[in-house]
C-alpha cells in the first residue's frame, strides 16, 4: 500500500498538464507566457487576432470579458464585445455626468 505525504515535498510543483491556447490547432505552449495569457488560456497572437477558430466556430477574444465570443457580438474590428462595451460607456457617461453636475452646483455665485 502506498502512502501519501500530505505535508508536501521540497520538490517544486510541476503542472500535470501543459498549458496551451484554446484556439483550434494552436500549439503555443503557455508555460513561459505572461500570467494573463496563462490565466485565460490564450496565446498572445490569438488574444489579438480578429478571427480565431475555437470549438469549430469563428470567434474573437474579448479584452473586457477575457473570453472568446462569436464575431457578431463585436462591432467592426473592436476587441470588446458590444455588451461589455455598453456597460463601460454607461459607467463613463455616469461618471462624467456626476462630475459636471457637481461643478455646476458648486460654481461661482
Amino acid at each position: 500500500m502506498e502512502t501519501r505525504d500530505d505535508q508536501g515535498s521540497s520538490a517544486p510543483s510541476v503542472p500535470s498538464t501543459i498549458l496551451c491556447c484554446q484556439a483550434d490547432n494552436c500549439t503555443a505552449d503557455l508555460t513561459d507566457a505572461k500570467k494573463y495569457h496563462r490565466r485565460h488560456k490564450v496565446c498572445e497572437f490569438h488574444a489579438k487576432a480578429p478571427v480565431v477558430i475555437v470549438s469549430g466556430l469563428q470567434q474573437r477574444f474579448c479584452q473586457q470579458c477575457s473570453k472568446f465570443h462569436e464575431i457578431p457580438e463585436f462591432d467592426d474590428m473592436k476587441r470588446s464585445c458590444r455588451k461589455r462595451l455598453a456597460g463601460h460607456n454607461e459607467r463613463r457617461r455616469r461618471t462624467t455626468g456626476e462630475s459636471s453636475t457637481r461643478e455646476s452646483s458648486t460654481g461661482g455665485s
Side-chain angles (χ1 to χ4, degrees):
M1 183 173 166
E2 189 175 330
T3 59
R4 184 171 173 208
D5 182 9
D6 290 320
Q7 298 299 318
S9 66
S10 60
S13 64
V14 177
S16 59
T17 59
I18 295 172
L19 288 173
C20 58
C21 182
Q22 298 176 56
D24 291 0
N25 302 318
C26 181
T27 58
D29 180 0
L30 301 178
T31 304
D32 296 324
K34 294 177 183 175
K35 189 175 180 179
Y36 176 87
H37 294 107
R38 287 194 317 264
R39 183 182 318 134
H40 301 296
K41 296 180 185 149
V42 61
C43 68
E44 189 169 2
F45 176 80
H46 288 116
K48 296 177 179 179
V51 179
V52 178
I53 305 297
V54 179
S55 302
L57 300 171
Q58 288 190 345
Q59 300 188 32
R60 182 178 300 158
F61 189 75
C62 175
Q63 62 186 17
Q64 293 288 320
C65 301
S66 299
K67 295 181 191 175
F68 281 99
H69 298 295
E70 292 187 34
I71 301 297
E73 295 184 44
F74 295 87
D75 286 331
D76 303 319
M77 296 302 290
K78 290 192 165 78
R79 288 204 205 136
S80 296
C81 66
R82 232 179 268 111
K83 182 178 178 182
R84 280 294 181 103
L85 211 47
H88 171 77
N89 290 338
E90 180 61 34
R91 285 188 299 279
R92 288 190 65 192
R93 279 192 292 273
R94 200 174 326 138
T95 303
T96 304
E98 289 172 2
S99 63
S100 64
T101 303
R102 274 187 248 130
E103 290 171 10
S104 63
S105 65
T106 60
S109 266

